[in-house]
Amino acid sequence: MDETCEETGGARIKGFVQSFNRDRGYGFLVPYGAPDAVYVERADIECGARTLSEEQQVSFTVEFAAGRFVAKHVRP
């Protein structure tokens, strides 16, 4: 199914995929200009196959949950 990305509120951050485990459905994104990676789950990937590749450029929002920063509304 082909999904259309609609704009969501909030400031979007640009960065790249540091790693993503397709079997387990999670990985880490690195915001440009930031030293630390943020956690991402498959469920938070919007538009498309809901998987990511290393070094792929993405945009996303960041929230603080469960004691760490997590990526939300991730778009390849």
Side-chain angles (χ1 to χ4, degrees), residues 23-69:
D23 295 330
R24 294 185 179 189
Y26 71 89
F28 295 92
L29 308 179
V30 178
Y32 291 127
D36 297 322
V38 294
Y39 179 79
V40 62
E41 291 184 347
R42 177 177 291 136
D44 294 310
I45 302 170
E46 299 178 345
C47 306
R50 299 201 189 277
T51 189
L52 301 169
S53 301
E54 286 187 20
E55 303 298 322
Q56 181 178 8
Q57 294 183 14
V58 292
S59 67
F60 52 96
T61 61
V62 173
E63 296 178 10
F64 192 77
R68 64 179 165 188
F69 289 102

